[in-house]
Amino acid sequence: MSSCRTPTPNPKIVNHWWNFIDRAIAAVALKDPGLRAPLAVCLGAIPGALSRYYLAVWCQRWWGTDFPFGTFFANLSGAFLMGLFVTFALERAIASPDLRLLVAVGFLGSYTTFSSYALETSALWHAGARVTAIGYGLSSAILGLVGLEIGSWLAKRLF
């Protein structure tokens, strides 16, 4: 009887990949150190945006367009991944600010801004600012929808 085993990432491959990214960022930063952080964000944003796009395409093919499953799954998985990464980074003391920017701001930020929203709401909650966390959470969702509707209304009148 064979056992079913979930594949785990090879630490050597992950370290090799990160070393390559780190060297690429460092090479650009030699000419302008101020580019190091934006470059890390950009390098994470490209695969994050493409992941979100292909997730939406895949969901539309499977379940149609009656419900925004792609966005729904991106928001939920992005929030989960943000919690996983930030906790891992804090508890394992990932010292590289470039890696934190690449994953949390770049990849997850372009994959879904919901993950940042969830992280910030959680941070407020755990800091004891529960009323602020609830206010931020509700007002972001409600005012975001209101802002979208006002922008749409204005675009229809201007263009």
Side-chain angles (χ1 to χ4, degrees):
M1 174 185 267
S2 67
S3 65
C4 185
R5 191 171 77 94
T6 303
T8 57
N10 183 331
K12 288 182 181 181
I13 293 172
V14 172
N15 285 336
H16 177 71
W17 177 83
W18 175 244
N19 287 334
F20 171 77
I21 296 294
D22 194 43
R23 284 193 307 271
I25 293 170
V28 171
L30 284 176
K31 294 183 185 245
D32 185 355
L35 289 178
R36 191 172 180 97
L39 184 59
V41 172
C42 289
L43 289 172
I46 294 167
L50 289 172
S51 296
R52 180 188 180 102
Y53 170 75
Y54 286 115
L55 176 63
V57 167
W58 185 81
C59 287
Q60 286 175 359
R61 285 185 184 156
W62 276 93
W63 295 301
T65 58
D66 291 342
F67 183 83
F69 284 106
T71 301
F72 181 72
F73 290 135
N75 287 341
L76 296 181
S77 62
F80 167 77
L81 290 171
M82 182 68 85
L84 185 75
F85 178 75
V86 168
T87 301
F88 180 78
L90 292 175
E91 290 188 5
R92 303 283 187 207
I94 293 178
S96 171
D98 296 330
L99 179 59
R100 292 193 309 262
L101 286 171
L102 186 137
V103 175
V105 178
F107 181 84
L108 292 172
S110 67
Y111 180 67
T112 172
T113 58
F114 188 77
S115 58
S116 298
Y117 161 75
L119 177 65
E120 291 164 349
T121 304
S122 176
L124 288 168
W125 183 268
H126 288 292
R130 300 228 159 100
V131 172
T132 303
I134 292 168
Y136 173 69
L138 291 174
S139 65
S140 292
I142 293 166
L143 295 175
L145 182 58
V146 169
L148 181 127
E149 292 298 327
I150 291 171
S152 177
W153 174 85
L154 185 61
K156 289 175 184 176
R157 269 121 192 106
L158 292 177
F159 307 106

